[in-house]
Amino acid sequence: MDDIGHKDGSGSEAISVRATRIQDVAKLADVSTATVSRALATPERVSPEARARVLEAIAKTGYVPNPAARTLRSQKTYMVLVVLPDLANTFFSKILRGIEETLFEAGYGMIIGDLDGSPEKEAHFAAFTAAGRVDGAILLNGHLFGQSRGGEGISARITIPLVALCESIPGADIPQIEIDNRAAASRMTQHLASLGHRSIAYVSGPASNILERERFQGFKDGLAASGLPFEPVQVIPGDYTIEAGVRAGRDIVARRDRPTAVFCTSDEMAIGLMRTLFSAGLRVPDDISVAGFDDIDFAVVAEPSLTTIRQPRRELGQAAASALIDLLQGRPSPKRIRLETELVIRDSVAPL
Amino acid sequence: MDDIGHKDGSGSEAISVRATRIQDVAKLADVSTATVSRALATPERVSPEARARVLEAIAKTGYVPNPAARTLRSQKTYMVLVVLPDLANTFFSKILRGIEETLFEAGYGMIIGDLDGSPEKEAHFAAFTAAGRVDGAILLNGHLFGQSRGGEGISARITIPLVALCESIPGADIPQIEIDNRAAASRMTQHLASLGHRSIAYVSGPASNILERERFQGFKDGLAASGLPFEPVQVIPGDYTIEAGVRAGRDIVARRDRPTAVFCTSDEMAIGLMRTLFSAGLRVPDDISVAGFDDIDFAVVAEPSLTTIRQPRRELGQAAASALIDLLQGRPSPKRIRLETELVIRDSVAPL
DNA sequence: CGGCCGCATGTAATCGATTACATGAAACTT
DNA sequence: AAGTTTCATGTAATCGATTACATGCGGCCG
């Protein structure tokens, strides 16, 4: 680290140019603070002349209402917390973008809570929420605050609207936005079977994960629907990462009795797996077919391009944000939204 | 969209169980509110007995200070805004994680401002900042608020600490955290030249981008240092995306006189480009060498694995957050930090 | 013409913490 | 012993907006 020169902390001690307050505007427009406030919040309740003077004064002074004061009085923060397990994961960032743009249009800001696998952080965000720093929260982590380890004390105090996104939270009476993981996994499995594959391996997500359980059910559904038996040896454990795909690939390469198709429950794993097969001299899809899940940007430029399930990530984010905004504004909100997935057929899967 | 059932907005209209206030704690502990406040902020200025009674009362009531009230009085929000051009980009999410974890440890929350190429959003975040909703901001977008289009009115009011990350902001008197893009690009160019390549193409970023200008200079430096002439035809325009890499690949495939090596200024472009070359029957690195920049997760599983420049993304985020926290807490802060990059040699580049 | 209503506006309470200043007791100082 | 310092604590002003309530004016109705 090459550290050139120093700058003192004067930025934070800057001569505090006290910002324009509502009082200043009121004085300049020769009205009361109440009138200024009303001119902004309920213009129709203020005479046109007064309103004009207020607006002029605001323009002249560049007045911006103090959010802390506003929040203190009105109990509204215009902030939403988004809790997610891993910010560095490609899968989430597109979703976040959908959330952010929808919140933005409605005048809400987005605060990120990256759990990073730490229960300590989870407790922190629960406290954060309980303290009233946000008006609502979107949960991408598959459970309510403190539901995992005894943080009930705090979570009981969380009375703000919540929305579950992607990982449904069983038993929680909050809007749930997701895809039909089970149906999608079943569909892909049947697609593989329909091409003649009888021996299909399944690379799983983390066992504790709800997504994983749904997709696994779907896999079994698909086998059953195709008249194929389920055999535990077909399941290779994974955790959605590239590295897990690489490990699963090594597993398959080492097998005497190889499956003819592999269904990976994330594109990352599929890409890592294909790479490992390739290095071992196995050709995809000639020797073995590989399918993914998610349709991330890299799926189309993988070699071969990846057959996968497309999740509408941006739309998922938008739908969750919309549902939350409905709740925040006292409107009824859909209780459960299931967005459609799409089977994207590319080159990594071929008939047997 | 399959919309099952409805839930009314009762979440937001819930019977407002007024939260515990400092007054309630004071009454229970039989002290004044001032003592409660001091017991939390400056425990050493309160007698042990009073402190114990206060803490007990807090435990009993589950009191959490109201952040809005605190902010109103103390002018501290404990929030930081992170402004970035594209949240969906893999490159940023690892950086964000570094920022988030460092801010978190220091007790700050992170608000995301995704510009999404919209000047309107930029103005919004400038106003947001000017309104005092955050204590500081980290700018990943290469310019100060309103510096691009006449938002000077608002940006003049932004007196909070700022830090520039990745894209340096020339002329701004704020800490700048970055890598030495020029040196890194030069190094890669020389690496290619040292392997015997005389005809090296360069796939650029957006021309207006500061990163791009630095890397382009580095490319020319590297050519010069290797005794190679620079020829404009070597430059293929890009914008860091996979698709731009695909387009650049088509360009190269169509050329009569192909370069023997291609230096892409992002891994996304390199991967898209390799894919296009492969589809056209050109082999990497046998027929043509390809180098990237960033070392994203997919670089190692690309086929062939990608020779690239590693940027310490998490550390960049951490360093920027640390610098900002220094400023926020009135400590001196490094004015400029340059983190080291690393030339990562894999299989996509070979001697001529 | 007197009373009632509605409208535009102002006054001041309120949100919940922090903190300057005041107070009184105990501990020193000379 | 009187005066000074220190310490723990309380009182109340303050941050800056929102909003319940009060006021005064003009129009309308009977």
Side-chain angles (χ1 to χ4, degrees):
Chain A
M1 189 187 291
D2 131 38
D3 179 338
I4 312 155
H6 275 265
K7 176 186 201 301
D8 70 33
S10 61
S12 62
E13 304 153 16
I15 345 82
S16 148
V17 189
R18 198 209 281 289
T20 327
R21 294 157 314 173
I22 198 170
Q23 278 211 21
D24 307 325
V25 174
K27 194 169 294 174
L28 192 60
D30 197 30
V31 295
S32 72
T33 61
T35 300
V36 176
S37 182
R38 283 189 283 252
L40 291 170
T42 52
E44 73 281 4
R45 302 190 45 74
V46 170
S47 70
E49 309 82 55
R51 200 188 314 156
R53 287 211 309 285
V54 167
L55 293 179
E56 190 191 356
I58 288 176
K60 199 169 289 176
T61 56
Y63 166 74
V64 180
N66 180 311
R70 185 179 279 205
T71 297
L72 178 58
R73 183 70 229 252
S74 64
Q75 308 287 9
K76 295 213 163 299
T77 62
Y78 285 97
M79 281 288 157
V80 166
L81 176 68
V82 179
V83 179
L84 45 81
D86 180 4
L87 179 50
N89 186 317
T90 322
F91 177 71
F92 291 115
S93 46
K94 272 244 171 78
I95 291 181
L96 281 182
R97 196 166 208 191
I99 296 175
E100 206 270 352
E101 66 188 21
T102 303
L103 289 179
F104 178 85
E105 280 163 23
Y108 287 83
M110 177 176 81
I111 296 175
I112 299 285
D114 181 3
L115 289 182
D116 201 6
S118 145
E120 174 205 344
K121 290 192 83 170
E122 179 155 357
H124 173 87
F125 291 121
F128 188 92
T129 306
R133 298 187 69 160
V134 290
D135 292 343
I138 296 177
L139 306 174
L140 278 145
N141 56 326
H143 59 261
L144 297 174
F145 288 115
Q147 208 181 49
S148 55
R149 2 202 134 200
E152 294 79 16
I154 284 172
S155 58
R157 294 174 190 285
I158 296 179
T159 55
I160 60 170
L162 302 174
V163 169
L165 177 54
C166 289
E167 300 199 23
S168 65
I169 302 179
D173 182 27
I174 62 178
Q176 315 243 1
I177 284 76
E178 58 188 342
I179 59 162
D180 189 337
N181 284 286
R182 184 169 175 174
S186 171
R187 179 144 179 234
M188 178 62 87
T189 307
Q190 292 183 60
H191 173 65
L192 295 170
S194 74
L195 293 174
H197 295 281
R198 312 272 99 190
S199 172
I200 304 174
Y202 172 90
V203 184
S204 78
S208 61
N209 190 282
I210 293 176
L211 256 50
E212 163 53 23
R213 291 202 284 255
E214 294 177 359
R215 290 178 193 175
F216 185 51
Q217 269 305 324
F219 172 62
K220 292 201 280 193
D221 290 352
L223 289 179
S226 311
L228 295 176
F230 167 72
E231 288 159 49
V233 70
Q234 296 168 318
V235 177
I236 303 173
D239 60 7
Y240 299 141
T241 63
I242 293 176
E243 295 73 34
V246 170
R247 284 193 298 272
R250 292 205 197 102
D251 179 336
I252 287 174
V253 168
R255 289 190 185 196
R256 178 174 320 239
D257 208 20
R258 294 203 191 102
T260 63
V262 184
F263 176 20
C264 298
T265 53
S266 82
D267 284 354
E268 270 92 343
M269 294 198 294
I271 289 173
L273 185 135
M274 289 202 297
R275 177 56 210 269
T276 307
L277 297 184
F278 183 91
S279 299
L282 290 170
R283 285 164 312 157
V284 175
D286 308 303
D287 298 327
I288 190 164
S289 285
V290 175
F293 203 113
D294 288 347
D295 195 27
I296 63 175
D297 289 343
F298 287 98
V300 70
V301 287
E303 177 45 48
S305 61
L306 191 62
T307 289
T308 188
I309 299 282
R310 174 175 302 154
Q311 294 205 54
R313 293 185 282 161
R314 190 175 200 132
E315 288 77 8
L316 282 166
Q318 291 169 335
S322 293
L324 184 61
I325 291 166
D326 284 345
L327 288 180
L328 292 176
Q329 304 187 342
R331 289 193 297 271
S333 136
K335 194 177 177 68
R336 171 176 221 133
I337 295 178
R338 283 205 150 144
L339 296 186
E340 291 299 322
T341 56
E342 185 188 343
L343 176 60
V344 181
I345 296 177
R346 298 206 183 90
D347 303 330
S348 64
V349 170
L352 191 59
Chain B
M1 190 186 295
D2 130 37
D3 179 338
I4 312 154
H6 275 264
K7 174 187 204 302
D8 72 30
S10 62
S12 62
E13 304 154 18
I15 345 83
S16 146
V17 188
R18 199 211 282 290
T20 330
R21 296 157 310 170
I22 198 169
Q23 278 212 20
D24 307 325
V25 174
K27 195 169 294 173
L28 193 60
D30 196 32
V31 294
S32 71
T33 61
T35 300
V36 176
S37 181
R38 282 190 284 252
L40 290 169
T42 53
E44 73 280 4
R45 302 191 45 73
V46 171
S47 71
E49 307 83 55
R51 201 190 312 158
R53 288 211 309 285
V54 167
L55 293 180
E56 191 192 355
I58 288 176
K60 197 169 291 176
T61 56
Y63 166 74
V64 180
N66 180 311
R70 186 178 277 206
T71 297
L72 178 58
R73 183 69 231 249
S74 65
Q75 308 287 6
K76 295 211 163 299
T77 62
Y78 285 96
M79 280 289 159
V80 165
L81 176 68
V82 179
V83 180
L84 44 79
D86 180 5
L87 180 50
N89 186 318
T90 323
F91 176 71
F92 291 115
S93 47
K94 274 243 169 79
I95 291 180
L96 281 182
R97 197 163 207 197
I99 295 175
E100 206 269 351
E101 66 188 19
T102 304
L103 289 180
F104 177 84
E105 281 163 23
Y108 287 84
M110 178 175 82
I111 297 174
I112 298 285
D114 181 2
L115 289 181
D116 201 6
S118 144
E120 174 205 344
K121 289 192 84 170
E122 178 155 359
H124 173 86
F125 291 121
F128 188 92
T129 307
R133 300 186 68 158
V134 289
D135 292 343
I138 296 177
L139 307 173
L140 278 146
N141 57 325
H143 59 262
L144 296 175
F145 287 116
Q147 209 183 48
S148 55
R149 4 200 135 199
E152 293 79 15
I154 284 172
S155 59
R157 294 173 191 285
I158 296 179
T159 54
I160 61 172
L162 303 174
V163 169
L165 176 54
C166 288
E167 300 199 23
S168 65
I169 302 179
D173 183 26
I174 63 178
Q176 316 244 357
I177 284 74
E178 57 187 342
I179 59 161
D180 190 337
N181 284 286
R182 184 168 174 176
S186 171
R187 180 145 177 232
M188 178 62 88
T189 307
Q190 291 182 58
H191 173 64
L192 295 170
S194 73
L195 293 173
H197 294 282
R198 314 272 96 193
S199 172
I200 304 173
Y202 172 92
V203 184
S204 77
S208 60
N209 189 283
I210 293 176
L211 258 49
E212 162 54 23
R213 290 202 285 255
E214 293 176 358
R215 291 178 191 174
F216 185 50
Q217 268 305 323
F219 173 62
K220 293 202 278 193
D221 290 352
L223 290 178
S226 311
L228 296 175
F230 167 73
E231 286 160 49
V233 71
Q234 296 167 316
V235 177
I236 303 173
D239 61 8
Y240 300 141
T241 64
I242 294 177
E243 294 72 35
V246 170
R247 284 193 297 273
R250 291 205 197 102
D251 178 335
I252 287 174
V253 168
R255 287 188 187 198
R256 178 175 319 243
D257 207 18
R258 293 200 192 105
T260 63
V262 184
F263 175 21
C264 298
T265 52
S266 82
D267 284 355
E268 270 91 345
M269 294 198 293
I271 290 173
L273 183 136
M274 289 201 299
R275 177 56 209 268
T276 307
L277 298 184
F278 182 92
S279 300
L282 290 170
R283 287 164 312 157
V284 175
D286 309 303
D287 297 327
I288 191 164
S289 286
V290 175
F293 203 113
D294 287 346
D295 196 27
I296 64 175
D297 289 343
F298 287 98
V300 70
V301 287
E303 177 46 46
S305 62
L306 190 62
T307 289
T308 189
I309 297 282
R310 174 175 302 153
Q311 293 205 54
R313 291 185 282 163
R314 189 170 202 138
E315 289 77 9
L316 281 166
Q318 291 169 335
S322 293
L324 185 60
I325 291 166
D326 284 344
L327 288 180
L328 292 176
Q329 304 188 341
R331 288 192 298 272
S333 136
K335 195 179 176 69
R336 171 177 221 133
I337 295 178
R338 284 203 149 144
L339 295 185
E340 290 299 321
T341 56
E342 186 187 343
L343 176 60
V344 181
I345 294 177
R346 298 205 184 89
D347 304 331
S348 64
V349 170
L352 190 62

